[in-house]
Every structure is written in C-alpha cells, then in structure tokens.
Amino acid sequence: MATQRPLSDSWFWKRYRPEVDDLQNLTLIPNVATHKPTIDEWSPCCAFPTETYVELKHAGHIPDPILGFNEHKVQWVAECDWLFACNFSLDEYEGLVQGKVRSEIFFEGLDTICDVYLNGKRVLSTDNMFDSYTLPITTPDSVSKSSNTLVLHFRSAKHYSKELEQQYGAVRAGSCNLGDPSRVYIRKAQYHYRWDWGPELISSGPWKPVLLRTFSTRIKEFESHAKVLDIESEKVALSILVDIEGKAAHSLDAILLDERGNIVRKETVTIASGEKGTVRLDWEFVSGEVKLWWPMSYGKTHLYMLRVTLLDKAANEIDKADRKIGFRRVELLQYPLLNAPGTTFCFRINGIKMFLGGSNWIPADCFLTTVTEEKYRSWLQLMKDGGQNCVRVWGGGIYESDAFYDICDELGILVWQDMAFACGVYPAYPSFVESVEGEVISNLKRLRHHPSLAILCGNNEDYLQIKMWGVEGGLPAAVLYEKVFPKLVEELVKPSIPYVFGSPYGGKGDDTSDPTVGDVHQWDIWAGAGAPYQDYDILGGRFISEFGVPSLPCLATMESYFADCDDTDQRHPQSQAIQQHTKAGSYERRFSTLMNENFRMTGDLESYMYLTQLMQSEALGYAYRVWRRKWGGEGREETSGILVWQLNDCWPVTSWAVCDYHLRCKPAYYAIAREMKTVTVGIQREVQKNRVNDRPRPFYEYGAFQSVSATIDVWASNLALSSEEVELELFAFDLKSDWTYKETRRLVLPPNASIDVLTGHPCPHGPISPGGMQVPHPSCSVAIGAFIRDQEGRLLSQHIDWPQPYKFLRPCDPQVTVVLDGERLVVRVLAPVKGLVLSVPGGEDDVIWSDNCLDVVPDHPYEVTVKGLRGRAIYAAYLGRERALPLALSS
C-alpha cells in the first residue's frame, strides 16, 4: 500500500558557520541535555514546518520582531545562512533493496535558496519558494534502514538576490517603500523584503511539510474537471483523469458523494497491466442529480466529495486520493456599454451577472508557518459576515494554502488569484522563466479544481510600474504574462476561467489607467494626484481592483507599538513609535491633507486614532456607495466590482486594512458591510459656490468662496434577482434649529441594478432670511437621512448625508441611550450623532458587533446585535467626543 508520512517528528536548527560546519560530514548531536544551545549549536525545532524567526524567538535569541522597534534588532538574521536537519529511519529499506518498493522525499515548500544533503551528499538544490520538489531515493546504498540524516542548508536570500542583481543588473521595483529592488530576481514572497504596510523580515526555512513517500504502485496524479453544460437544467459533466505508476493496480474505484455522504455516482474501471497508465472517466449528470455551486447570497455552495481508490486483484486498497469539487461556470464579459465609452468588466457566474464587492488579501502574518486553518477561517468568515463576496490574492505574497481556498469554496467567496509578481521589472532569462513555469504548473494543478477560483492574473502593477516610473527597455517578463501563463492556463485549467495579463490592465498601449477598459487601481486619492476622497464618484472605472485610505488600528493593537518604550511621550500621533509602525510613503503629508480638509486637528492619540478611522470609513463607504450606483442593469454595468486595499495586516501597523492584525474590525469594515447589503440607498450632495473654485464639490465654503445653493441625488440599489417593492423616507433636519422635513414615496426596485430616484434635486432647508439670497446657504446646517423599508416596515438600508466638511460641524450632546434585550441592542438619540463607535475595553477580541460607527438621528432608533458582552460596560465615542466614555445601559 502506498504510504505518506512526515519524514521526521524531530527536527533541529542552527546557524551555519562555514569555518566549522562541514556539510558532507555533519553530525546531528543536539546539546539540549547539558545546557541551553547557542545559535551555533543544534536546537530542537519548536514546530514543523518552521522558519528562522519563529525558532529564534521561541528559543529566546531574539525579541518578538513585530513589537516596538524590534524589527531593527533582528536584521542580522537575514544576513546569515541557516541549517535545519533531522534523523530518520527507513522501515521500508528491505523492500527498497529488493526492488519491491520505491521511496522519495517530498518537499512541499522550501524558503528559498536551499541545498539538500542526504547522509553527507548534496542531492538537491532549490531556488523557488512557491514550487515543490521531489527527491527520489534511487539507490539503497545512499541510505540505511535505521539511521539517515537530512540537512537543509538555507543560504541568505538577501545576499543571493543581490548577487543576481550584480549579475543581471539593477532594475526598478516600485518606490523605495517596497523593499530592495533585488527582490525581483528571487522566487520568494516579495513582501518579506518590506512593503509600505509591512516590515523587512526576510525569512528562510522549511515552510511547508517534508514527507516520506513509499509505494510500489500509486496514484501519481489525480485530475478532475467539473463543467456546466446547461445552466437552466443543471446538466453538468465531470472528467476524471488518474495517472497510475506501478504494476500492481488491477482496478480503480471512482465515487462522487454529496454533502450528506450519499452516493451520486460510482464506477469501477479495470486497469490493463503495465508499468504506467492513465485512467479516464467521463460522467454526465442530468437535471436533479447534482446542484450547482453558487457564490454567497446567490445560492448554496454545493460541494461534492470525489474519491478515487486504487485496488489490487484481491480488492485491497493500494492508494487513494480525494478532493471536494463544485460545479459552476465563470465568465468575464467585456462588451460595449449602451451609454458610456469603453467596455464592461463584468463577471457572470452560472449565467448570472454579479456585482462583486470585497477586499485585497495580503499574507496574514510575517511568519507564514504561524497562520493556522482556524485563522484563515476567522479572516474569511469576517469577509462573509461583512457581505464581501470576492477576495483578491495579491501577487506580492504567496499562492495561499489549500485551507484558504477550501474555506472560500465553503463560504462562497470568489477568488481573484494573482501570480506571484508585484511592482517590479522582473527578468526573463532562461533559468528564471523555467523556474517560474514550474511554479505556475504546480500551483495551477493544485488550485484548478476549486469552484471559488474565478480569475487568474499575471501580475500586480508591473505594467503600471513601467509607465509610472518611465522605465526604459520595456518589461522583460511580459513573455511570462502574455505567452507562458496564458498557454499554461489554457492547457491545465478546464473548463477555462478568465485570465488577464496583469492588474491593472486595459486601455490602449501601455495605458493601464484607462477607466473605461479593464480594471483600474485608483490611487489618485491618498497617493497620486492627492485628490479628495469626495472625488471617488468621478475617479472610478469598470472594475476597481485596488483603492484605499489608511487609518490607525485600535488602541489595544497599538500597544504593540509601545512594547519596548519606557517613554510615555511616545503616545502621540507624531512619535517615533508611530512612525516605526507606519510604513507608507509620505504618510504624514498625505494624512494631513485628508485629515485637515475634513476634521479638526488634534494631538491626542485616542482622538487621532478615532478620526483616522472615521475618515477611512467615510471614504471607503462613499466609494462603495457611488460606484455601486453605476451598476445600472443590462448594458449599463459601468462599474461591476470593487475590491478595497486591503482586508488584513501581517503585523500591528497603521495601514489600509479594514481589519487589523488581530482581526479587530475598524469602522471601515462596517461601512463596507452596509454598502454590500442586498438593498442599499445613497445620497450625494453638491454645493454650488459663487465662483469657479477648486474645493471638493460637497463642501460648504466660508472664505474666498461662498456657498449659494445645494442639490442632492438620491438612488437605490437592489442586488436581488427579483424586483423589490419598498418605501423610501427622506428625513431632513437642521442641526442648529428645530426645523425638519419629511417625505415618503413608494418605489419598485428593479432586479440586479441601481436606479436614480432624484437627480439635481434642491437640497431641503429651512426658511431663507428675508431679503433674498442667504450666504452661506441655509442647507449648510442640514443633514438628510434616507431610509428604505420593505413592505412589512423592516429597515433594509439607511444613509445619512451630513453637511461637509465635518470640521465645521458643532456637534451637541446627542444624549445617547442604549437598551439591551439579550443580544439585541437598540440605540436612540435626542440629537443627531455622527460616527458612534461602540466598544468594550478589554473586549476587542470576544465582543462581536453586527454593525458599528453608526449615524443615528432622532425618532429613528438603530438596532445592532452584540455577542459576548457578558455584563461588561459599553463605551462610546463619536464625532465631537472622540475619546470613549461609558454609556448608561438600560434593559
């Protein structure tokens, strides 16, 4: 019977010293019994798979690199070579000698430049973190039954990449905030070299399992292709290909099981005798036999277990393999629009056009071996709970673990998968191309069966870099993006799924910023032109696959910033500790522009944290709202998707993430969730000034320009596949008086589209002072609420539009009251409140809010669900009182 097991359950590590360590005569003798080993002596690994920083930290040789300023205290680690080793026995040795079995060592992932020594002989060299490697044990003389030593010598990736750079020439690789440009020469996670949200921690080590495989006959490769033949009748087909190596196989059982374990289809195939062979089965299923896999909110994520078992003549099991599969069809539609230039960039799943809203994903930790399946599930469940139906696996990280894609399959989250290239002019010399080709083949074979996989993309921003930085000589790796990758996708991924050369990519020639073709990365807000976030409505595109505004994480997460700081003076917005954990380029200049335009300045850290988070929430919520408005129905899909940069962090940091390193949701997470509800409503205000000006359009002006009038647009959006009858209530109120305005109207929202309700409508306001025109216009103190309810009166969506900029508001005490009934919390106010953030000190990780950072107005109570409160006090902060204080709680 074919077997597979970890090569050893006892691994050791040490620093490599070439003057002492003879790799051809290395003895693995740990000194743990007599004293604590130094870094130059063998120490037992605390876990496996593992990597250098994890082991050094666990052994107490380095401080935690993610705390305080410790990143700079551990830079020496990347300068060194490291050894990992184990002893192992070979119980199958006799069979190997007699030729009855074969054995091999399988390295699922080695990070990155590694020489492998077996019993003192170098037997393998690797240079690609993303590929797997197999070491056949071909001669019994090279091993023994009871005592074998495997040594992995990891060279310094930092030094190796600089050697390649010296050989092939220095190139541009993004800004100075994206790590050393030599990174492009090495097939390693690029973010390890530093990014504008992550530290420089260039790891090494066996980051994936090392396995011993033994067999006489086995399933060498197992391939399956699930195809939807007819969507309406749910007629589907399944092709199964099994490559068999060895002579003993007599038959193959193939079985398809539904989610309850019931047999859907079973077939046994007799195998012709021979050394190698391929068994192919082609199954078709008529209506009712299987159900389609659907993304979240559109149906159930029906998954089926496909299992193949290899049997001998006596029907004994020789080998088996299984996987979960789903049946779905994915299409990327790019056709001319009816009333706008360019083409769509619209995904159609199982015949249904879908508006995609979600996030970009970076690796969940600086130390990849510490990311568990449970952590993946927590992150992806956050996405689903927040209404996000698409995740983009960014090219500067890794091809994620199997668990990541399994969970996406289960939760119905569509995956945009970049190849592992980001922000650089990558080479294309023959050995590099060959290595990349092997990497992509391995990962396509591993990922292609996942129904959540919706699109493959050649790179992140490499085409954009050429134009942005004026790089001469073109993009050598275009041969990969435009020839090698499309060919491999066509050959290996069946049925085919969309592939694009890069992200962003579209337009004529090298113009990757054309908003009318392909996808765009919208960085003219925050970076680029430095436009106000209120311009997102005119800075969109057909599919916005990156955009964002950063913020500080919550106060509990920021404690990591100050972990090794005795000086309390560090606890202010412009301290060294804040700078150490803010890697973004020109961050203070960019923050100050956005913050000072919109909010009053503060030097208090808690208030500053609150305001950065409110700004991020307002900006991202506005972007989702106005871009979703452009999902206009058939032929009018002017925007078909929005992916914010970014969902997550890899360490405690000030970043664009909507949830921080500890999975603590920022207000922006809830803003996106509100805009991804099935039914939403939006308001946009435009203020007319008395002369041509350069101010944001929603801003009221009180200086060189004066505000003379204001108009509003109101729209509603429905992502359901059926029309919805609703009631829209518009409720306006003056923040300086008791004037109010209210109107209601019945609407029928068409399916899967947004519609305008009002355009260019005069903004409601109180009476104008006698004598004609009033300056500033009286709407300058008017807030407007839009509320959509279903036929039973249940609130489906609301949006409050406030006069801007917020720095001119003079909030009064809203007199917030909260009533708790079980997990149901009802919030009421006597005066309007902006950005009400509810929290429980010490409960950042176990108190779960269904919604937060709320706008609440009188006579419109707001209901949220809170789990895990357990009698603890609720604190509240809001615009005008940015430091959280306890609330009185009624029951």
Side-chain angles (χ1 to χ4, degrees):
M1 181 176 178
T3 62
Q4 175 176 284
R5 64 172 176 83
L7 181 66
S8 175
D9 59 4
S10 185
W11 283 82
F12 297 84
W13 66 274
K14 69 189 292 288
R15 181 169 60 178
Y16 172 64
R17 293 187 300 166
E19 69 277 9
V20 174
D21 297 318
D22 180 358
L23 295 173
Q24 295 181 341
N25 295 282
L26 199 63
T27 303
L28 179 56
I29 306 177
N31 298 303
V32 293
T34 57
H35 66 275
K36 179 181 176 180
T38 69
I39 61 172
D40 297 321
E41 297 175 310
W42 289 113
S43 295
C45 291
C46 65
F48 199 87
T50 190
E51 55 187 292
T52 48
Y53 292 103
V54 170
E55 294 301 333
L56 287 163
K57 176 192 167 190
H58 181 264
H61 295 302
I62 61 171
D64 190 337
I66 71 172
L67 300 181
F69 295 89
N70 290 343
E71 173 194 356
H72 307 292
K73 300 175 183 177
V74 301
Q75 289 303 303
W76 63 269
V77 176
E79 306 283 346
C80 303
D81 288 12
W82 297 91
L83 301 179
F84 291 82
C86 72
N87 291 326
F88 69 96
S89 61
L90 198 61
D91 298 337
E92 305 83 355
Y93 181 76
E94 299 299 333
L96 188 65
V97 171
Q98 298 167 11
K100 293 181 179 179
V101 299
R102 307 176 200 180
S103 292
E104 64 187 26
I105 301 173
F106 179 67
F107 302 93
E108 193 171 323
L110 299 171
D111 177 14
T112 293
I113 309 304
C114 181
D115 289 329
V116 180
Y117 291 81
L118 178 59
N119 294 332
K121 182 180 180 181
R122 189 172 71 176
V123 290
L124 178 68
S125 294
T126 75
D127 63 357
N128 193 319
M129 175 183 180
F130 307 120
D131 207 352
S132 57
Y133 297 87
T134 300
L135 173 62
I137 301 177
T138 53
T139 59
D141 294 340
S142 65
V143 292
S144 67
K145 181 175 182 178
S146 58
S147 180
N148 302 282
T149 300
L150 186 80
V151 177
L152 308 177
H153 171 211
F154 289 93
R155 292 183 57 188
S156 165
K158 182 177 181 179
H159 290 171
Y160 188 81
S161 60
K162 295 302 287 186
E163 292 168 11
L164 290 173
E165 181 184 61
Q166 188 173 14
Q167 179 180 353
Y168 292 103
V171 297
R172 187 86 196 213
S175 73
C176 58
N177 302 292
L178 306 185
D180 191 276
S182 65
R183 63 179 170 79
V184 302
Y185 287 109
I186 190 169
R187 297 310 298 144
K188 176 176 175 58
Q190 301 286 271
Y191 83 107
H192 283 165
Y193 281 75
R194 184 169 47 86
W195 221 259
D196 54 6
W197 37 257
E200 181 178 334
L201 295 169
I202 305 175
S203 63
S204 63
W207 75 293
K208 288 189 175 183
V210 178
L211 305 171
L212 177 65
R213 295 171 168 175
T214 302
F215 62 96
S216 60
T217 300
R218 67 170 173 179
I219 297 170
K220 187 175 184 180
E221 193 165 330
F222 171 33
E223 186 176 344
S224 61
H225 303 289
K227 185 176 183 179
V228 178
L229 301 176
D230 184 75
I231 294 166
E232 198 167 321
S233 65
E234 294 193 336
K235 183 180 180 181
V236 302
L238 178 62
S239 297
I240 306 166
L241 292 90
V242 183
D243 286 345
I244 300 168
E245 183 178 4
K247 301 178 180 180
H250 177 264
S251 61
L252 179 81
D253 278 355
I255 186 170
L256 187 69
L257 304 171
D258 67 15
E259 291 146 306
R260 296 183 178 181
N262 300 316
I263 296 175
V264 179
R265 182 72 59 88
K266 183 177 182 180
E267 185 174 347
T268 300
V269 179
T270 302
I271 300 170
S273 61
E275 179 65 13
K276 295 182 179 179
T278 300
V279 174
R280 180 183 179 111
L281 294 88
D282 291 294
W283 293 346
E284 286 196 10
F285 302 85
V286 298
S287 177
E289 285 192 274
V290 300
K291 297 179 180 179
L292 300 185
W293 180 93
W294 288 94
M296 54 175 278
S297 302
Y298 288 89
K300 293 185 177 180
T301 56
H302 295 289
L303 295 170
Y304 294 83
M305 177 62 73
L306 175 61
R307 180 176 296 129
V308 294
T309 307
L310 206 57
L311 305 171
D312 64 14
K313 288 185 179 180
N316 297 312
E317 180 182 306
I318 299 173
D319 199 5
K320 68 179 179 181
D322 58 38
R323 64 169 56 121
K324 287 186 177 181
I325 64 169
F327 296 86
R328 59 87 177 97
R329 180 188 294 173
V330 180
E331 301 167 276
L332 176 59
L333 307 178
Q334 295 180 273
Y335 56 80
L337 289 155
L338 293 176
N339 299 309
T343 54
T344 63
F345 195 93
C346 176
F347 286 86
R348 185 163 64 188
I349 314 295
N350 298 337
I352 303 297
K353 295 178 183 178
M354 295 185 182
F355 183 85
L356 302 189
S359 296
N360 283 264
W361 170 270
I362 67 169
D365 207 287
C366 297
F367 312 121
L368 292 164
T369 58
T370 66
V371 184
T372 63
E373 181 175 346
E374 291 73 20
K375 191 168 185 179
Y376 278 124
R377 182 170 294 279
S378 295
W379 274 115
L380 293 168
Q381 188 65 52
L382 269 180
M383 287 195 73
K384 181 172 182 177
D385 292 345
Q388 299 185 38
N389 58 20
C390 183
V391 60
R392 175 177 175 240
V393 181
W394 169 72
I398 60 173
Y399 305 92
E400 275 295 347
S401 76
D402 293 336
F404 179 92
Y405 303 96
D406 288 340
I407 296 166
C408 286
D409 290 345
E410 177 188 331
L411 298 181
I413 298 173
L414 295 170
V415 176
W416 173 312
Q417 178 68 54
D418 281 0
M419 304 301 184
F421 295 81
C423 302
V425 182
Y426 287 85
Y429 52 84
S431 60
F432 185 88
V433 171
E434 182 181 4
S435 178
V436 169
E437 188 169 3
E439 153 200 329
V440 172
I441 289 172
S442 294
N443 284 287
L444 287 181
K445 287 183 175 181
R446 181 171 68 92
L447 303 180
R448 61 189 173 188
H449 69 278
H450 287 282
S452 58
L453 189 62
I455 184 171
L456 294 160
C457 173
N459 68 84
N460 171 78
E461 293 189 352
D462 289 359
Y463 290 97
L464 180 66
Q465 297 294 311
I466 295 292
K467 186 170 184 178
M468 179 184 295
W469 302 111
V471 176
E472 297 180 358
L475 192 63
V479 68
L480 292 169
Y481 312 146
E482 299 176 18
K483 294 182 179 179
V484 175
F485 295 170
K487 181 174 179 289
L488 292 176
V489 172
E490 182 179 6
E491 290 175 356
L492 298 174
V493 183
K494 300 174 183 178
S496 64
I497 65 170
Y499 169 82
V500 291
F501 292 161
S503 177
Y505 192 87
K508 296 180 180 180
D510 63 354
D511 184 7
T512 60
S513 61
D514 185 345
T516 70
V517 181
D519 69 315
V520 297
H521 292 186
Q522 184 45 264
W523 287 111
D524 273 333
I525 291 159
W526 173 256
Y533 75 75
Q534 291 85 356
D535 278 355
Y536 271 131
D537 63 322
I538 57 174
L539 292 174
R542 300 294 172 251
F543 194 107
I544 301 93
S545 48
E546 275 192 27
F547 78 104
V549 169
S551 74
L552 272 69
C554 74
L555 285 175
T557 298
M558 276 195 284
E559 287 302 315
S560 302
Y561 294 19
F562 313 118
D564 60 351
C565 300
D566 296 328
D567 189 353
T568 57
D569 186 54
Q570 290 293 321
R571 295 175 183 270
H572 67 86
Q574 293 180 295
S575 70
Q576 296 100 319
I578 295 293
Q579 184 180 72
Q580 161 61 13
H581 288 261
T582 309
K583 301 296 187 180
S586 305
Y587 77 93
E588 283 193 309
R589 184 184 314 135
R590 291 167 175 174
F591 256 135
S592 64
T593 298
L594 286 174
M595 290 284 287
N596 294 349
E597 276 188 339
N598 290 281
F599 302 104
R600 299 182 187 182
M601 292 182 287
T602 179
D604 175 69
L605 182 59
E606 182 177 353
S607 299
Y608 185 75
M609 176 273 297
Y610 170 90
L611 290 173
T612 66
Q613 291 190 354
L614 180 60
M615 178 181 69
Q616 182 190 42
S617 176
E618 288 294 298
L620 303 191
Y622 175 73
Y624 269 80
R625 189 158 54 251
V626 295
W627 287 336
R628 180 170 163 178
R629 180 186 183 183
K630 297 181 181 181
W631 177 251
E634 188 67 33
R636 295 177 174 83
E637 302 93 343
E638 295 180 25
T639 296
S640 298
I642 311 167
L643 303 178
V644 70
W645 185 269
Q646 63 215 60
L647 175 70
N648 59 322
D649 280 327
C650 65
W651 75 314
V653 65
T654 301
S655 82
W656 297 265
V658 297
C659 301
D660 71 29
Y661 174 67
H662 296 290
L663 293 94
R664 297 163 180 164
C665 298
K666 300 179 185 178
Y669 167 84
Y670 300 102
I672 293 170
R674 289 191 289 268
E675 300 306 330
M676 284 303 296
K677 288 183 176 182
T678 302
V679 173
T680 59
V681 64
I683 306 175
Q684 185 173 3
R685 187 182 317 206
E686 183 163 339
V687 178
Q688 290 75 43
K689 285 81 170 178
N690 61 342
R691 57 176 65 95
V692 175
N693 64 91
D694 58 357
R695 304 298 198 256
R697 286 163 294 136
F699 276 19
Y700 288 90
E701 287 294 322
Y702 302 91
F705 310 103
Q706 290 294 312
S707 309
V708 296
S709 64
T711 57
I712 59 169
D713 291 355
V714 179
W715 64 92
S717 180
N718 176 26
L719 296 183
L721 302 181
S722 59
S723 59
E724 183 83 22
E725 293 187 24
V726 299
E727 180 183 81
L728 170 66
E729 176 194 345
L730 289 178
F731 178 61
F733 43 91
D734 195 305
L735 300 174
K736 296 180 179 178
S737 72
D738 59 1
W739 175 89
T740 61
Y741 168 87
K742 179 178 179 180
E743 70 167 277
T744 60
R745 58 179 70 196
R746 306 294 299 181
L747 302 174
V748 177
L749 304 182
N752 207 14
S754 302
I755 61 166
D756 286 344
V757 179
L758 298 172
T759 56
H761 187 76
C763 182
H765 57 82
I768 293 179
S769 301
M773 180 181 293
Q774 180 177 328
V775 176
H777 193 259
S779 62
C780 68
S781 57
V782 171
I784 310 161
F787 307 85
I788 285 188
R789 297 179 176 84
D790 65 14
Q791 291 182 296
E792 284 72 44
R794 291 172 298 207
L795 182 67
L796 302 177
S797 176
Q798 76 170 52
H799 172 60
I800 313 297
D801 177 74
W802 301 76
Q804 296 185 57
Y806 297 121
K807 64 186 177 184
F808 293 142
L809 293 182
R810 299 177 182 176
C812 60
D813 180 4
Q815 301 183 53
V816 179
T817 60
V818 290
V819 177
L820 182 65
D821 181 9
E823 295 180 342
R824 177 174 171 266
L825 188 73
V826 180
V827 181
R828 291 181 171 84
V829 296
L830 294 183
V833 63
K834 174 71 186 171
L836 177 67
V837 174
L838 304 173
S839 62
V840 175
E844 294 85 3
D845 300 324
D846 61 349
V847 177
I848 309 300
W849 306 92
S850 65
D851 202 353
N852 216 327
C853 197
L854 316 171
D855 290 356
V856 189
V857 297
D859 302 322
H860 292 77
Y862 203 100
E863 183 176 322
V864 299
T865 300
V866 56
K867 297 181 179 180
L869 193 57
R870 299 197 305 274
R872 287 175 285 184
I874 296 176
Y875 279 58
Y878 48 82
L879 185 64
R881 196 191 75 185
E882 292 80 18
R883 294 179 63 89
L885 294 174
L887 281 174
L889 189 64
S890 303
S891 58

